[in-house]
């Protein structure tokens, strides 16, 4: 996103070059959607593979309570509790961080998904931002508003008219991410990127 933000910006359509600020915000939102999709795919793939006995390059693997799945298909059946589970037609609830670490608690006596527990609020608000980027429904608008207020804490509890996910993501993070990100002059987008990277490195050490 740093590359996009360094592009010259202009609001005059007749200007010789430059990108309109609203397009920067739209690009930021679309990039965020892609990151969330990749994050959920990462959670699903690691959870399935750990249950089937996979190890990381360092030799780490989650410790099972009841034994390993026979293969990836069997792991899907166990995690979904559906013997007819078809990954091409169904999905696991990996968008719900609490479901992920609670499910890991059930299947593993030792695992790294507990890292998600302290980040549940951040991850659930990321979903609200993503949903608003993807949908224009009243429900998604209300969810995004609650997320934006959680981050920005405006004095009157209101956002400016037309406030968008891109504007939130590009604004400076001042709370909720913890030190050293809060007050470090990084955007909410960048703070989320660092959070996802740290979590991923913890889950696959």
């Amino acid at each position: 996103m740093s590359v996009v933000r360094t592009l010259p910006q202009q609001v005059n359509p007749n200007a010789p070059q430059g990108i309109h600020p609203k397009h920067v915000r739209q690009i930021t939102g679309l990039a965020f959607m892609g990151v969330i999709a990749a994050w959920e795919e990462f959670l699903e793939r690691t959870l399935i593979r750990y249950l089937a006995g996979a190890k990381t390059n360092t030799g780490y693997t989650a410790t099972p309570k009841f034994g390993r799945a026979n293969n990836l298909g069997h792991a899907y059946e166990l995690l979904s509790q559906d013997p007819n589970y078809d990954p091409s037609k169904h999905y696991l609830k990996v968008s719900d961080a609490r479901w992920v670490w609670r499910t890991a608690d059930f299947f593993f006596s030792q695992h790294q998904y507990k890292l998600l527990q302290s980040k549940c609020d951040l991850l659930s608000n990321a979903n609200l931002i993503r949903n608003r980027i993807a949908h224009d429904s009243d429900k998604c608008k209300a969810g995004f508003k609650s997320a934006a207020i959680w981050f920005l804490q405006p004095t009157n509890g209101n956002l400016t008219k037309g406030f968008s996910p891109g504007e939130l993501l590009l604004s400076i993070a001042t709370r909720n991410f913890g030190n050293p990100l809060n007050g470090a002059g990084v955007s909410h987008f960048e703070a989320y990127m660092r959070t996802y990277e740290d979590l991923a490195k913890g889950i696959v050490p």
Side-chain angles (χ1 to χ4, degrees):
M1 291 310 304
S2 59
V3 174
V4 175
R5 298 190 70 175
T6 59
L7 294 174
Q9 297 187 25
Q10 55 83 20
V11 296
N12 183 355
N14 297 318
Q17 63 178 358
I19 183 172
H20 196 285
K22 73 176 182 181
H23 294 148
V24 174
R25 296 191 291 269
Q26 290 172 345
I27 292 169
T28 303
L30 292 173
F32 192 72
M33 282 183 60
V35 169
I36 300 298
W39 167 250
E40 292 178 356
E41 183 178 3
F42 167 82
L43 288 177
E44 178 173 321
R45 290 189 173 188
T46 55
L47 196 57
I48 288 294
R49 282 160 176 76
Y50 279 143
L51 191 56
K55 294 183 179 180
T56 69
N57 291 337
T58 62
Y60 168 82
T61 187
T63 305
K65 286 182 180 178
F66 315 111
R68 304 288 189 189
N70 297 330
N71 49 48
L72 298 183
H74 186 213
Y76 272 112
E77 293 174 6
L78 293 174
L79 288 170
S80 66
Q81 300 181 36
D82 180 0
N84 298 311
Y85 185 88
D86 182 348
S88 67
K89 297 179 180 178
H90 307 98
Y91 60 90
L92 299 178
K93 294 172 61 178
V94 290
S95 61
D96 182 348
R98 186 176 187 277
W99 179 89
V100 173
W101 65 263
R102 293 289 290 181
T103 298
D105 270 348
F106 180 81
F107 286 100
F108 304 113
S109 59
Q110 180 278 327
H111 63 84
Q112 293 294 93
Y113 295 98
K114 291 184 183 295
L115 294 170
L116 303 178
Q117 189 171 357
S118 63
K119 303 295 183 182
C120 275
D121 286 340
L122 273 176
L123 298 174
S124 63
N125 277 289
N127 288 335
L128 294 176
I129 298 169
R130 183 268 308 273
N131 292 345
R132 177 63 187 94
I133 297 166
H135 304 289
D136 197 36
S137 69
D138 289 342
K139 179 180 179 181
C140 290
K141 289 178 180 177
F144 168 67
K145 181 179 179 180
S146 70
I149 290 174
W150 186 71
F151 279 114
L152 302 177
Q153 294 293 299
T155 54
N156 59 0
N158 293 316
L159 305 172
T160 58
K161 186 177 181 180
F163 189 76
S164 69
E167 287 178 89
L168 173 62
L169 292 168
L170 290 172
S171 65
I172 300 301
T174 59
R175 55 176 56 83
N176 300 326
F177 286 95
N179 291 325
L181 295 185
N182 286 348
V186 300
S187 67
H188 287 93
F189 183 94
E190 178 62 26
Y192 262 120
M193 298 307 101
R194 296 185 189 184
T195 298
Y196 285 124
E197 182 179 7
D198 288 345
L199 288 173
K201 289 179 178 178
I203 291 170
V204 182

